[in-house]
Amino acid sequence: PSWGGFESLINSPGLWLSEAASRESGIPQGLVRISIGLENADSLMEDLDASLNKITGV
């Protein structure tokens, strides 16, 4: 979570949740929250692409 900073953040509260844990917590399985900051757009896209490829195994 951010404390008022301007940096981009990615939080993955539901990324590795089991179906049972998802039901119990109300957090959807696979949920990824992205808060975009003030960095260069091309840099953000490169970082996001690399991160998504890493978690999806591509």
Side-chain angles (χ1 to χ4, degrees), residues 22-42:
S22 176
R23 275 195 311 273
E24 188 174 314
S25 68
I27 298 172
Q29 283 184 294
L31 176 69
V32 176
R33 179 181 176 190
I34 302 171
S35 299
I36 300 300
L38 300 175
E39 296 91 352
N40 176 282
D42 290 332

Side-chain angles (χ1 to χ4, degrees), residues 5 9-11 15 19 25 27 38 42 44 53 55 58:
L9 299 169
I10 295 179
N11 186 339
L15 190 59
E19 190 174 328
S25 68
I27 298 172
L38 300 175
D42 290 332
L44 286 170
N53 287 336
I55 63 173
V58 175

Side-chain angles (χ1 to χ4, degrees), residues 43-58:
S43 178
L44 286 170
M45 293 298 291
E46 289 172 11
D47 290 345
L48 184 57
D49 186 51
S51 298
L52 290 173
N53 287 336
K54 192 173 205 174
I55 63 173
T56 60
V58 175

